[in-house]
């Protein structure tokens, strides 16, 4: 039996061998991620965490996850802050797509924009990932808002923010974009870039992306009339949700709208906003 295992191991180059993630190490990493981002990892995510971090451990030439945990939780090591960001970039789930939960964009067109006609509308995509949500909103505003507007997209993951700033996507990502918007706001790549498209300069110039942690928002973010906080609270427990939503409400104008994912709820999270319809809330009333 022992001989067989040795033979099997020898077939694999060292770079393919997985460093085992022990339960106690998994618990330490879960606690660290919760402190850093408010994200609760379910027990069944252990294999995912191991596979997502294994490459990083090998690059650092670490032989155990405990050593990696010591680095990211250190206050002394000069490498710790950048490694903490890398760990967050690897451990967050960033799935998103253009016109996701499309009924929100119809709601905005039909119910929000008429209230702000002729005014400057400040919008925030609060967990923007790679930018599809913010650019979807930009297409709707550029086409339908009679007034000026601006959008800020923020995310805790630094890599997705860099991608969002570029506004370049593989062609398959265009599938959900209605044709008129696609023709007006998306530029098809040529030559080597023919399988990509880029969001037009006109839209990109009105959408700004910044790194921000919803658990500890910078005071100078501004105040917003429309906030999209969609498909991020699913990763939070009740107290993280409460902290994040109260942080967000501090950056909303009275009469502002807060839209959350259809699978999410603010029940027991806040009584500061009123439910208008499932997943759509409003802060006070605009006089
Ligand atoms: C599944 S994506 C949702 C993207 C988009 N809102 C949508 O609905 O398609 C969730 C995003 O939330 C971000 N996120 C998780 N925790 C965060 C936190 N504490 N602060 C800011 N962003 C966070 C992740 O990095 C990820 O990009």
């Amino acid at each position: 039996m022992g001989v067989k295992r040795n033979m099997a191991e020898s077939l694999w180059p060292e770079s393919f061998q997985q460093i085992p993630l022990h339960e106690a190490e998994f618990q330490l990493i879960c606690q660290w991620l919760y402190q850093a981002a408010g994200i609760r990892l379910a027990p069944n995510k252990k294999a995912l965490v191991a596979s997502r971090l294994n490459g990083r451990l090998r690059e650092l030439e670490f032989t155990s996850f405990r050593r990696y945990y010591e680095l990211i939780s250190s206050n002394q090591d000069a490498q710790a802050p950048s490694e903490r960001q890398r760990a967050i970039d690897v451990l967050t789930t960033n799935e998103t797509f253009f016109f996701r939960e499309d009924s929100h964009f119809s709601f905005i067109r039909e119910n929000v924009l008429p209230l702000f006609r002729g005014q400057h509308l400040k919008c925030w995509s609060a967990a923007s990932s790679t930018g599809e949500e913010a650019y979807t909103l930009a297409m709707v505003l550029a086409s339908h808002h009679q007034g000026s507007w601006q959008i800020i997209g923020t995310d805790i993951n630094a890599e997705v923010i860099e991608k969002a700033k570029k506004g370049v996507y593989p062609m398959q990502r265009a599938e959900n974009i209605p044709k008129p918007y696609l023709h007006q706001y998306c530029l098809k790549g040529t030559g080597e870039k023919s399988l990509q498209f880029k969001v037009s300069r006109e839209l990109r110039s009105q959408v700004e992306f910044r790194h921000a942690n919803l658990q500890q928002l910078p005071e100078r973010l501004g105040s917003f009339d429309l906030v999209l906080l969609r498909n991020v609270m699913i990763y939070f427990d009740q107290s993280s949700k409460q902290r994040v939503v109260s942080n967000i409400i501090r950056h909303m104008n009275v009469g502002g709208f807060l839209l959350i994912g259809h699978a999410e709820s603010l029940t027991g999270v806040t009584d500061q906003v009123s439910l208008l319809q499932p997943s759509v809330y409003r802060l006070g009333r605009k006089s």
Side-chain angles (χ1 to χ4, degrees):
M1 195 67 179
V3 174
K4 265 190 193 162
R5 193 166 55 239
N6 287 342
M7 281 176 66
E9 278 171 4
S10 69
L11 292 175
W12 293 97
E14 208 177 307
S15 59
F16 286 174
Q17 283 170 20
Q18 296 286 301
I19 298 158
L21 173 59
H22 301 295
E23 183 57 31
E25 296 167 330
F26 176 57
Q27 290 308 326
L28 289 172
I29 290 171
C30 288
Q31 282 161 24
W32 174 81
L33 187 64
Y34 182 70
Q35 291 295 326
I39 295 171
R40 272 262 182 253
L41 288 174
N44 65 4
K45 297 287 185 235
K46 189 171 153 193
L48 186 82
V49 169
S51 75
R52 286 188 178 178
L53 286 178
N54 238 282
R56 195 60 203 131
L57 262 70
R58 276 199 302 270
E59 279 163 20
L60 292 165
E61 299 184 357
F62 287 176
T63 52
S64 79
F65 277 92
R66 181 167 288 272
R67 177 71 193 90
Y68 189 70
Y69 165 75
E70 282 163 6
L71 171 58
I72 57 176
S73 56
S74 165
N75 293 324
Q76 318 284 314
D77 196 319
Q79 212 185 340
S82 64
E83 197 54 44
R84 280 196 272 278
Q85 185 60 55
R86 274 175 180 258
I88 283 176
D89 291 357
V90 168
L91 293 174
T92 47
T93 301
N94 314 112
E95 197 210 331
T96 186
F97 45 92
F98 284 96
F99 286 87
R100 185 177 196 177
E101 302 185 28
D102 188 23
S103 65
H104 278 157
F105 299 100
S106 310
F107 176 87
I108 292 167
R109 215 176 49 233
E110 288 158 19
N111 300 286
V112 178
L113 299 190
L115 296 176
F116 289 88
R117 188 169 290 139
Q119 296 177 38
H120 184 68
L121 184 63
K122 283 191 73 182
C123 308
W124 178 18
S125 167
S128 64
S129 185
T130 35
E132 286 87 333
E133 179 178 87
Y135 289 129
T136 298
L137 181 59
M139 290 179 201
V140 171
L141 297 186
S143 300
H144 301 284
H145 183 47
Q146 294 174 19
S148 55
W149 54 272
Q150 76 187 93
I151 300 173
I152 289 183
T154 58
D155 203 284
I156 197 171
N157 180 316
E159 264 181 27
V160 296
I161 285 295
E162 289 313 307
K163 286 191 183 157
K165 284 180 184 168
K166 292 196 177 95
V168 174
Y169 301 95
M171 210 40 117
Q172 312 89 279
R173 297 239 133 206
E175 272 168 18
N176 286 343
I177 304 178
K179 289 283 175 305
Y181 294 140
L182 191 61
H183 292 143
Q184 195 164 359
Y185 302 116
C186 303
L187 311 169
K188 190 179 180 311
T190 54
E192 276 181 359
K193 297 183 177 161
S194 64
L195 297 178
Q196 298 177 339
F197 69 94
K198 183 163 189 160
V199 175
S200 71
R201 186 191 292 269
E202 176 200 347
L203 289 196
R204 280 185 291 117
S205 67
Q206 293 186 82
V207 186
E208 183 194 336
F209 290 97
R210 289 190 209 166
H211 177 260
N213 182 353
L214 294 170
Q215 303 283 334
Q216 307 146 12
L217 283 171
E219 278 308 318
R220 283 184 299 151
L221 196 63
S223 54
F224 299 91
D225 305 303
L226 172 61
V227 181
L228 306 185
L229 176 68
R230 306 188 315 157
N231 305 303
V232 60
M233 284 191 292
I234 39 172
Y235 304 105
F236 296 159
D237 68 358
Q238 195 74 350
S239 72
S240 296
K241 282 188 205 172
Q242 285 167 345
R243 196 163 37 249
V244 162
V245 170
S246 113
N247 287 345
I248 287 201
I249 290 173
R250 275 195 282 112
H251 290 277
M252 283 178 69
N253 293 328
V254 174
F257 290 83
L258 173 63
L259 276 56
I260 66 173
H262 282 99
E264 297 167 322
S265 149
L266 292 186
T267 307
V269 173
T270 181
D271 54 10
Q272 288 183 269
V273 287
S274 321
L275 179 67
L276 300 184
Q277 62 181 61
S279 76
V280 176
Y281 295 81
R282 192 163 187 204
L283 180 64
R285 293 235 150 255
K286 205 171 161 65
S287 53

